[in-house]
Amino acid sequence: MFRSHPLAKLWRSWLRSESPRRPVLRWNRLQKAGLLLICIAVALVSSWPWLVEPDLRPGIPAPFDSFAPKAARVVDSEALEQRRSSLMPNTFVQVVDAQQSSLLKLRLERHLAELERVARSQNIDRIGPVNLTTDEQFWLEKRSQQDRKNWDMTIRRAVDRMLSQGLVNTLAIEQLRKASSLQLEALGPEDAPARTLGSKIATTTLQGASNLQTDPLRSQRLIEELITQQGIPTIEVKAGDLITRKGEPISSQAYDVLDFFGLINRSPKLGIWLLRFTEALASCGLMLLVMKRERPCLEASHGFLAIGLLFISQFSKLWFGAAVSPLAVIVPPTLLLAQGLGTTSGLAWMAVSCLLWPTPVSGLGEGRLLITAAVAAIAAIQAGRLRSRAQLLQLAVLLPLGALVAEMVVLRQPFEAVNLSWTRLTPDTGELASEALLMGLLMMLTILLIPLLESSFGLLTRARLMELADQERPLLRRLSSEAPGTFEHTLMICGLAEEGARAIKADVDLIKTGSLYHDVGKLHAPNWFIENQTGGEENPHTKLNDPVASAGVLQAHVDEGLKLARRYRLPRPIADFIPEHQGTLRMGFFLHQAQQKDPTISEHLFRYRGPTPRSKETGILMLADGCEAALRSLPPDTSDSEAQTTVKRILEARLADGQLRQSGLSRAEVDLVMHAFVRVWRRMRHRRIPYPIPAKRSFSA
């Protein structure tokens, strides 16, 4: 019933873009549920201010004229906060840290133990915890065991008293030595060596150490006491005083007065919240639909990345508030998505993020947001065309400079607001420069993260395609050295496929890279394929003499190719070329051999397992793979019309077999591809000038 509904038909037609029809990669229920949850999270973060924030705040235009209903004295919160901030760095309360005191006592015990080992060794030159004078050495050698215990206990008590009073690590050593000597006065003048040695031990133990820590609660209490003593800053308000004028920005003092008289509505605005929540949720869904329509094979991981970046953008605005820069939050993700998913996806993300930006559409916020949208649009358009990391780095430098110039031209121009009597505030040059610098740094970080995101989310950027097409890549080097015939066949097909893609404006970079890897599975057994066999080598299939087993060998080159793609971490769009270039084609030669032995044998055993091409690029590669051998075998005097007839016969066979049904290639595009193949063949068969070969010279003995 639902499937026949007109809206359902319209949706399928719009999503699939059915002229020509393109296959859609469907997401499972778990993936859809995950995307829905992230979209709800984005909607909640975007609409959160309307649940918890008051309807008025400093800096926004006042929606009405307001007058003080009575005289009052209102606390000036801004002045109070400034006074508190000025007192905070220099006003703090410290208390003794018991743990640090215990560590210092353990250090004292180690020094006493080392001093005892020096006394027992009878070695005057032995290094101890402190330097000893002659009198101290003599006293140390002559003291009894009881004297040592009493002296150690005296030192411990002195150190305990010093620690209980608090110790700072910036105390001069002379002051510390004097303090420890005063604590050891109980030893008396007759025990001068014991007293000086004890002072040295205590000083060495406590030097450069502190057992104090700041108590935030007591510090805050002290600050509040000082503010109370100095007097809390207040605003004197008389009955009938004008608090705010409609259209003028609300100052901090005016906001305090409005709040004092109960004119600030702090209750949740459920109606506006529901509207913003629905708007954000619908925007996320619409963005996914636009991306899905542009890329029907869009993977769920790509959707998670786009919605996840939107969540980070919304959370940054909620967390940092007015301090967040729209340039830094919107432009780098737009660049990333345009590189990995295409310009349309980047522009869709940029449009949604700007729509959900919670900035009043007036004054400076509007101008900055418009500049951000323009810069992000340029980033999306350029990123879809760039083909190297170096070009991305150039863009990461030029865009912030362009944004800085645009902001200085637009935002630094003072102008009168329409129907308002106040001049809009403009940022200074330092603020604009720091914003552009932050944007540039985040764009650089994004470019550094692109390779990681490529492997994590399956993104395929232009730069990545160019890197994979490098014939010095390990897998391509293996193919050229271990299967040289297959590699030459690959290069020939690559030329045909590139021209075919260029003729119908398909993705030339994608088909070029996919063509280079489509036959890598032949590395598992190169000599089983005719292009790698030498003239004197017997065909292994002849020895095998089993058409079914030979068909299994051909299918194995697809299966092994997929294994190599996983091992070498090829992106999914590249790996798709491996099975789809064969589709479900018949292995005609071995099927004919098998039918000669058993006419009732199933044709299914001699078909590749597919799938059939699901994109224009893989469809073109299938056609190029089928035409390459036929074009190569044409005699030198073949005319263009004969070559075109040969190519057309192969293409018609593929169409009749249903191999291109899911590729999205129209009949007109197939004809354009056919003419492109003939043009490539003509270039390969260009005439050469016969150079005369000089006769060999004879040399006398």
Side-chain angles (χ1 to χ4, degrees):
M1 187 69 180
F2 175 74
R3 292 179 180 274
S4 61
H5 195 279
L7 290 178
K9 292 181 179 179
L10 181 62
W11 156 244
R12 289 197 299 271
S13 175
W14 182 81
L15 178 61
R16 294 173 179 269
S17 206
E18 292 186 334
S19 52
R21 180 177 180 271
R22 292 185 293 175
V24 177
L25 178 63
R26 299 189 180 277
W27 300 335
N28 58 41
R29 292 183 178 179
L30 183 61
Q31 292 170 337
K32 292 178 181 178
L35 286 171
L36 179 60
L37 287 177
I38 299 181
C39 290
I40 292 175
V42 171
L44 283 173
V45 173
S46 299
S47 58
W48 185 257
W50 285 271
L51 281 179
V52 298
E53 289 187 1
D55 55 350
L56 299 179
R57 60 182 181 273
I60 69 172
F64 50 77
D65 292 336
S66 59
F67 299 89
K70 60 181 180 180
R73 179 174 292 179
V74 182
V75 175
D76 189 342
S77 61
E78 184 178 21
L80 181 62
E81 186 60 32
Q82 289 178 354
R83 185 174 298 178
R84 184 179 287 111
S85 300
S86 63
L87 290 174
M88 191 172 296
N90 301 317
T91 306
F92 51 87
V93 177
Q94 291 185 314
V95 295
V96 173
D97 186 351
Q99 183 178 3
Q100 188 63 29
S101 296
S102 299
L103 294 176
L104 292 174
K105 291 177 182 179
L106 289 176
R107 184 192 294 181
L108 174 64
E109 295 299 329
R110 289 197 300 271
H111 289 168
L112 293 175
E114 291 175 4
L115 189 64
E116 180 62 21
R117 284 194 293 271
V118 171
R120 290 181 180 179
S121 66
Q122 300 297 324
N123 187 357
I124 305 237
D125 297 331
R126 178 168 179 167
I127 298 176
V130 295
N131 295 324
L132 302 176
T133 64
T134 305
D135 293 340
E136 291 170 350
Q137 292 173 359
F138 181 77
W139 176 83
L140 199 61
E141 294 172 0
K142 298 301 181 181
R143 68 176 181 171
S144 63
Q145 188 68 16
Q146 187 61 37
D147 292 339
R148 182 187 68 81
K149 291 182 179 180
N150 294 337
W151 184 78
D152 288 353
M153 186 58 65
T154 303
I155 298 298
R156 293 189 186 101
R157 290 172 180 170
V159 170
D160 283 342
R161 288 192 294 270
M162 296 177 69
L163 291 176
S164 65
Q165 296 173 350
L167 185 70
V168 294
N169 54 7
T170 56
L171 188 63
I173 188 171
E174 295 81 6
Q175 298 293 326
L176 187 59
R177 186 176 295 125
K178 183 178 180 181
S180 59
S181 179
L182 290 174
Q183 293 290 342
L184 295 173
E185 283 184 347
L187 293 177
E190 66 278 2
D191 293 330
R195 184 176 177 181
T196 57
L197 181 57
S199 177
K200 289 180 179 179
I201 290 293
T203 302
T204 302
T205 301
L206 303 179
Q207 182 181 1
S210 174
N211 68 332
L212 296 177
Q213 63 177 356
T214 302
D215 189 329
L217 183 59
R218 296 186 182 183
S219 299
Q220 186 64 32
R221 289 176 184 172
L222 178 59
I223 291 174
E224 298 301 330
E225 291 175 1
L226 293 175
I227 291 176
T228 304
Q229 293 173 4
Q230 297 175 6
I232 298 177
T234 58
I235 305 169
E236 295 289 341
V237 181
K238 298 179 182 179
D241 282 353
L242 177 66
I243 304 175
T244 60
R245 186 182 299 278
K246 184 177 180 180
E248 292 186 359
I250 300 174
S251 65
S252 175
Q253 291 77 13
Y255 181 82
D256 292 334
V257 176
L258 290 172
D259 194 19
F260 178 82
F261 289 119
L263 300 177
I264 304 295
N265 183 12
R266 298 183 182 277
S267 60
K269 294 168 273 304
L270 295 179
I272 300 178
W273 171 81
L274 183 60
L275 178 63
R276 298 299 183 183
F277 179 87
T278 306
E279 179 187 44
L281 188 61
S283 299
C284 293
L286 182 61
M287 181 184 70
L288 288 176
L289 294 182
V290 171
M291 294 171 64
K292 189 75 171 175
R293 185 181 186 274
E294 180 66 20
R295 298 173 64 91
C297 292
L298 186 78
E299 299 181 25
S301 60
H302 300 157
F304 281 116
L305 177 62
I307 301 297
L309 290 174
L310 194 59
F311 177 82
I312 294 174
S313 169
Q314 297 300 307
F315 186 80
S316 299
K317 291 181 287 187
L318 185 64
W319 183 265
F320 294 104
V324 70
S325 166
L327 282 170
V329 171
I330 294 178
V331 177
T334 302
L335 175 70
L336 170 63
L337 293 176
Q339 260 282 294
L341 301 178
T343 298
T344 302
S345 298
L347 290 175
W349 189 93
M350 180 270 295
V352 171
S353 60
C354 289
L355 177 66
L356 299 181
W357 190 267
T359 301
V361 186
S362 61
L364 184 60
E366 180 187 22
R368 180 168 289 174
L369 194 58
L370 290 176
I371 292 174
T372 298
V375 173
I378 294 173
I381 294 172
Q382 291 297 322
R385 303 173 180 175
L386 301 184
R387 298 160 60 89
S388 69
R389 313 281 187 197
Q391 291 176 326
L392 277 177
L393 290 174
Q394 292 175 358
L395 189 65
V397 174
L398 295 178
L399 277 182
L401 292 177
L404 176 60
V405 173
E407 286 190 327
M408 292 182 66
V409 171
V410 176
L411 303 182
R412 292 286 295 166
Q413 295 293 330
F415 54 90
E416 295 295 326
V418 179
N419 296 327
L420 296 179
S421 60
W422 52 276
T423 302
R424 303 185 185 186
L425 299 177
T426 56
D428 57 24
T429 305
E431 180 184 351
L432 297 179
S434 61
E435 185 178 11
L437 179 61
L438 177 61
M439 170 191 164
L441 291 176
L442 289 179
M443 289 187 67
M444 291 289 185
L445 179 62
T446 300
I447 294 173
L448 291 176
L449 290 177
I450 283 178
L452 179 62
L453 296 175
E454 285 173 346
S455 58
S456 301
F457 291 92
L459 297 179
L460 188 59
T461 62
R462 293 289 162 191
R464 178 66 171 157
L465 280 174
M466 296 297 98
E467 292 170 357
L468 290 172
D470 184 4
Q471 295 183 17
E472 292 300 316
R473 303 282 298 185
L475 188 55
L476 295 180
R477 288 300 304 153
R478 278 192 60 192
L479 187 66
S480 64
S481 60
E482 299 178 24
T486 298
F487 187 69
E488 292 300 322
H489 157 80
T490 296
L491 295 180
M492 174 66 179
I493 287 181
C494 186
L496 291 172
E498 276 190 79
E499 191 66 25
R502 195 172 287 110
I504 64 171
K505 300 188 183 305
D507 194 331
V508 177
D509 295 329
L510 177 62
I511 200 170
K512 174 184 177 181
T513 307
S515 301
L516 291 173
Y517 290 93
H518 81 282
D519 263 348
V520 292
K522 292 182 179 180
L523 284 170
H524 82 287
N527 60 326
W528 284 78
F529 298 91
I530 188 67
E531 66 267 19
N532 297 312
Q533 297 170 6
T534 58
E537 183 180 359
E538 185 179 359
N539 194 326
H541 293 283
T542 304
K543 295 181 181 179
L544 184 62
N545 195 25
D546 185 350
V548 177
S550 294
V553 173
L554 295 188
Q555 175 61 43
H557 99 273
V558 174
D559 300 335
E560 294 296 325
L562 291 175
K563 292 179 182 178
L564 286 172
R566 287 191 294 270
R567 186 185 309 167
Y568 285 86
R569 302 177 66 84
L570 294 181
R572 179 174 176 174
I574 302 300
D576 286 343
F577 280 84
I578 296 174
E580 292 181 22
H581 87 279
Q582 294 291 1
T584 57
L585 288 171
R586 287 191 299 266
M587 306 172 193
F589 181 79
F590 296 114
L591 174 61
H592 177 70
Q593 281 188 342
Q595 288 176 340
Q596 287 181 335
K597 296 181 180 180
D598 182 8
T600 63
I601 195 168
S602 174
E603 181 183 296
H604 178 71
L605 298 174
F606 296 90
R607 279 188 178 272
Y608 288 98
R609 291 197 286 267
T612 57
R614 294 175 293 183
S615 67
K616 293 183 180 182
E617 289 75 19
T618 54
I620 293 172
L621 183 64
M622 170 183 277
L623 299 179
D625 192 40
C627 296
E628 184 266 340
L631 288 173
R632 188 189 292 268
S633 62
L634 292 177
D637 57 348
T638 303
S639 65
D640 289 359
S641 60
E642 292 173 336
Q644 186 171 325
T645 301
T646 301
V647 173
K648 186 175 182 179
R649 184 174 66 251
I650 297 173
L651 269 56
E652 291 288 349
R654 298 290 189 269
L655 288 170
D657 199 23
Q659 298 298 317
L660 303 178
R661 192 171 300 157
Q662 297 292 324
S663 68
L665 286 170
S666 65
R667 184 55 188 261
E669 288 175 328
V670 172
D671 289 340
L672 290 174
V673 170
M674 175 184 65
H675 290 292
F677 287 174
V678 174
R679 286 197 300 272
V680 175
W681 169 81
R682 188 187 305 119
R683 292 200 299 264
M684 293 174 56
R685 291 300 183 95
H686 63 277
R687 297 178 58 190
R688 303 284 298 197
I689 298 176
Y691 288 92
I693 301 176
K696 293 183 179 180
R697 296 181 180 180
S698 58
F699 296 92
S700 60

